[in-house]
């Protein structure tokens, strides 16, 4: 038998840009190619502009035993969107999209107000709201993975019907007075543990658990392989159907947690306008964070930075004294700039300019 | 007679593959010239160069003696070269008129003159002897009529060359005969026709001359009398591997042990006739046959990528009730698909992630392979298979074809298979990697693995296989082993009809 090992083949020279500037230039190039650099730069840019136009923007003080200040406020307000965006990052990683997250929040809010009215235990109500989110995710996942409906259409169904379902739930008790108070839910939403607002802790725990699931089990690899090439993944033994279903379950569950926070914050169920356009902010955050709608990659850290960019922008427009009418257009322009900076063509152009200057 | 179109010394390279290597090809007026070759031989590339869809790296194209450089299919068509591709390039929801005049709509006072457009459409169809309602959408007609509409669209008034790429693939016998009448009629009017088909009998019914391509080179040209079907098949698949010693695998140690795979009457309606197959440890069985004969289907049925609807598959004597890729993997069977891009690699994921994917899915999602273990397996495989990559975290999509193939092999090997199914393991990869993979197959068999190898290259199969199962028209027609396993015998088995 021929046991000759394959003869070594000359290593193909990897195509590298001419880094004639030596080691420092090489490190500089490596740095600006890191995937988190652009989202972080966008965030820094927004914050620097803030510091220039409103002195004292970064002041943090303690009021009534908890932290206050613009920076804390950005984190605080970003939390619901951050939870939704993390779920969205998972779904987008599988080449999908979940448009129904705002409607899931509306349904959870309606269920919370309804059961409060019926006098259930608040802890049971919390579990019911989360279960409702899972049920919504199951529905989306069923449409996408079993019936193989395109995700944008499949989740559009719940997006359209969800707010209506919320209104119908309100009708179950006449819908006259959907407001409520709950020490447990409001504690989770607007309370604080020591100096830190509770919802920041809830958000951090969710991020950590999701990170464990995606990066410390093989689940992330399966998600990304299904998003990158579902056929290949299936032939490599990955249960693509189960993986897809789970992605929508996660998104539904995380939308429900955002629903609990938002509903407790407003003390009421308002299915028509709660979390309107949150799906668009969430998608935008994923994209700013480096995710691609073509699927195949999940960036949880980038997504959080993306959410912070969007929220920092909103907060700074409000604090800058710019008339609120300008809010949406300014936001759109800044997002456009961020995305232009992220486009690989634009990036290549920037890199080539830098290299030319070094040479 | 002077050629109407003459391609000389055409070369074209893609990253990692030399698709065409100084190919000459000429068609005379009033001639039907068949262009033959297996998948990846370079037929499509040559056609694309001829019709302006691709630009050659080297060589010249002369049309009626004048050198041309078609920049786009539109330019080629304007010059008189029309082409109809396998997948009909019409817009099914639009009317026949619109499809036939799109981009060249007649105008009157700046507005579209629909009356004139309809007249043009009818005239174009009339040249082919077709009389249909030109206002109905194209999609409402049969595939055969759509094929004719596509031809009408490809033929400008002064067309001199018509390329037909697998025009009969979805036609029945009557429709094919009608198409051939039209081809003969066009031929009689002095057009040069390029005909591509994998139906060998059709080639002998319609073609005057044949050019055979293999691995980007022209390996034969002549009239249909000069190249009878036996010679044609042998030219198409009989590749000489000078760089691989023709050492036949030893037969003795094998067949005595208990079989790993037993397939009895496994088949699927309209896909593959039921077949029997046995594989023992240390044995390599080749699957030979022409394009479309059922090689890939056999491999996929055994792996469970396609469900069989008759017969049963046993691995180690255990009946696999519902074979799926996952069940097969758990039973120690792995599969490297033919179509690397769409069924093999996950382009965005790194070399490491691609290599561990099958092993990880066998372990389940909770038991993540420790990173240290992942790195060890990956660097082991990179060294053992000589994968040329700067590091293990490079996205696989950025590697060359041969290295992607090795990554797929590595994915199979790290999951410790007992039966390895390879579908076209050397398709589209360079000669060096080709030899390495052939050597690897032999080494794996020597270590006691069972291998099922489907390949369009006969000499490759002869070099690695203990037995060769021959397929023809989606049916296993014979199993050849021992001294009988010669090129001639296999070609006879394939060509016999």
């Amino acid at each position: 038998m021929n046991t000759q090992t394959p003869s070594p083949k000359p290593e193909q020279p990897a195509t590298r840009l001419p880094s004639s500037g030596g080691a420092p230039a090489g490190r500089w190039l490596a740095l600006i190619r890191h995937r988190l650099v652009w989202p972080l730069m966008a965030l820094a840019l927004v914050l620097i502009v803030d510091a220039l136009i409103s002195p004292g923007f970064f002041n943090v003080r303690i009021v009534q035993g908890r932290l206050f200040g613009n920076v804390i406020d950005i984190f605080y307000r970003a939390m619901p969107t951050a939870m939704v965006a993390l779920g969205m990052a998972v779904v987008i990683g599988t080449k999908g999209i979940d448009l129904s997250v705002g409607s899931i929040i509306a349904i959870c809010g309606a269920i919370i107000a309804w059961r409060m009215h019926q006098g259930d235990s608040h802890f049971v109500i919390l579990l019911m709201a989360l279960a409702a989110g899972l049920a919504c995710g199951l529905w989306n996942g069923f449409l996408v993975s079993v019936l193989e409906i395109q995700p944008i259409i499949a989740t559009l169904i719940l997006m359209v019907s969800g707010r209506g379902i919320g209104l119908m739930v309100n009708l179950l008790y006449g819908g006259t007075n959907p407001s409520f108070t709950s020490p447990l839910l409001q504690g989770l939403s607007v309370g604080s543990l020591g100096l830190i607002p509770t919802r920041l802790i809830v958000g951090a725990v969710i991020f950590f658990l999701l990170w464990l699931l995606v990066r410390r089990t093989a689940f992330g690899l399966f998600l990304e392989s299904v998003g990158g090439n579902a056929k290949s993944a299936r032939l490599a033994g990955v249960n693509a159907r189960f993986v897809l279903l789970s992605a929508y379950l996660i998104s539904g569950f995380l939308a429900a947690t955002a629903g609990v926070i938002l509903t407790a914050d407003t003390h009421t169920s308002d299915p028509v306008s709660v979390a309107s356009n949150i799906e668009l902010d969430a998608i935008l955050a994923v994209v700013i964070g480096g995710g691609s709608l073509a699927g195949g990659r999940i960036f949880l850290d980038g997504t959080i930075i993306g959410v912070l960019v969007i929220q920092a922008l909103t907060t700074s427009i409000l604090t800058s004294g710019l008339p609120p009418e300008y809010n949406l257009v300014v936001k759109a322009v800044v997002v456009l700039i961020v995305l232009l900076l992220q486009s690989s063509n634009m990036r290549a152009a920037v890199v080539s300019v830098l290299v030319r200057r070094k040479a | 007679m002077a050629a109407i179109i003459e391609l000389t010394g055409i070369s074209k390279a893609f990253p990692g593959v030399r698709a065409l290597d100084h190919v000459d090809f000429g068609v005379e007026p009033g001639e039907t010239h068949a262009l033959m070759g297996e998948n990846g031989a370079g037929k499509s590339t040559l056609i694309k160069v001829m019709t302006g869809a691709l630009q050659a790296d080297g060589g010249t194209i002369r049309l009626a003696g004048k050198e041309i450089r078609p920049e786009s299919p539109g330019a080629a068509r304007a010059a008189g070269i029309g082409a109809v591709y396998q997948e009909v390039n019409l817009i099914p929801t639009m009317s026949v008129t619109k499809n036939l005049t799109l981009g060249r709509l007649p105008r009157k006072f700046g507005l579209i003159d629909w009356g004139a457009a309809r007249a043009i459409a009818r005239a174009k169809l009339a040249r082919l002897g077709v009389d249909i309602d030109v206002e109905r959408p194209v999609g409402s007609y049969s595939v055969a009529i759509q094929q004719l509409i596509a031809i009408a669209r490809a033929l400008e008034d002064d067309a001199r060359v018509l390329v037909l790429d697998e025009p009969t693939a979805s036609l029945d016998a009557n429709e094919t005969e009608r198409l051939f009448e039209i081809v003969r009629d066009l031929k009689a009017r002095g057009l040069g026709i390029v005909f591509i088909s994998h139906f060998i009998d059709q080639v002998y019914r319609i073609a005057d001359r044949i050019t055979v391509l293999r691995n980007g080179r022209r390996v034969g040209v002549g009239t249909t009398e000069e190249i009878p079907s036996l010679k044609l098949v042998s030219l198409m698949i009989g590749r000489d591997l000078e760089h691989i010693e023709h050492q036949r695998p030893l037969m003795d140690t094998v067949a005595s042990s208990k079989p790993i795979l037993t397939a009895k009457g496994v088949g699927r309606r309209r896909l593959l006739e039921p077949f029997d197959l046995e594989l023992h440890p240390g044995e390599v069985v080749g699957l030979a046959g022409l394009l479309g004969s059922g090689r890939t289907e056999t491999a996929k049925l055994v792996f469970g990528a396609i469900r069989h609807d008759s017969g049963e598959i046993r691995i180690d004597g255990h009946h696999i009730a519902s074979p799926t890729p996952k069940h097969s993997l758990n039973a120690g069977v792995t599969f490297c698909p033919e179509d690397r891009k769409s069924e093999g690699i996950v382009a965005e994921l790194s070399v490491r992630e691609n290599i561990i994917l099958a092993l990880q899915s066998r372990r389940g999602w909770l038991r993540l392979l420790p990173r240290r273990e992942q790195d060890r397996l990956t660097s082991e495989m990179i060294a053992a298979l000589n994968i040329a990559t700067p590091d293990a975290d490079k996205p696989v999509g950025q590697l060359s074809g041969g290295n992607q193939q090795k990554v797929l092999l590595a994915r199979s090997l790290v999951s410790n298979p007992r039966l390895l199914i390879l579908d076209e393991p050397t398709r589209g990869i360079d000669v060096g990697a080709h030899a390495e993979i052939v050597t690897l197959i032999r080494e794996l068999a020597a270590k006691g693995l069972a291998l099922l190898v489907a390949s369009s290259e006969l000499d490759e199969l002869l070099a690695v296989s203990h037995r060769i199962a021959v397929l023809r028209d989606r049916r296993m027609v014979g199993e050849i082993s021992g001294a009988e396993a010669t090129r001639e015998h296999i070609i006879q088995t394939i060509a016999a009809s």
Side-chain angles (χ1 to χ4, degrees), chain B residues 425-446:
Chain B
T426 59
R427 153 110 8 113
I429 66 179
D430 61 57
V431 174
H434 189 288
E436 289 175 45
I437 284 173
V438 168
T439 310
L440 182 76
I441 292 174
R442 289 179 178 168
E443 286 174 3
L444 292 172

Side-chain angles (χ1 to χ4, degrees), chain A residues 1 4 7 218 229 232 236 297, chain B residues 344 353 361 365 386 442-443:
Chain A
M1 184 63 206
Q4 170 208 342
S7 59
N229 188 342
S232 301
R297 276 299 180 193
Chain B
E353 287 166 314
S361 73
W365 66 276
N386 224 343
R442 289 179 178 168
E443 286 174 3

Side-chain angles (χ1 to χ4, degrees), chain A residues 249-338:
Chain A
L249 276 176
I250 290 171
S251 178
F253 180 80
L254 292 182
T257 60
V260 171
I261 303 283
L262 284 171
T263 307
D265 197 346
T266 55
H267 296 234
T268 186
S269 153
D270 178 10
V272 176
S273 58
V274 67
S276 73
N277 289 344
I278 198 169
E279 64 282 343
L280 301 182
D281 275 350
I283 293 166
L284 208 53
V286 174
V287 174
I288 291 176
S292 153
L293 292 185
R297 276 299 180 193
I298 297 171
F299 300 125
L300 298 180
D301 43 9
T303 299
I304 293 295
I305 295 171
V307 174
L308 292 177
V309 168
I310 295 172
Q311 188 58 49
L313 202 55
T314 311
T315 302
S316 47
I317 292 169
L318 292 177
T319 54
S320 68
L322 213 62
E325 289 82 2
Y326 290 81
N327 193 340
L328 292 175
V329 173
V330 172
K331 193 166 147 184
V333 170
V334 175
V335 166
L336 177 68
I337 293 170
V338 171

Side-chain angles (χ1 to χ4, degrees), chain A residues 222-244:
Chain A
F222 294 167
L223 282 168
E224 292 178 334
S225 65
V226 169
N229 188 342
K231 252 190 198 165
S232 301
R234 211 168 287 139
L235 285 179
V238 177
N239 187 343
R241 194 166 277 184
F242 172 75
V243 167
L244 274 180

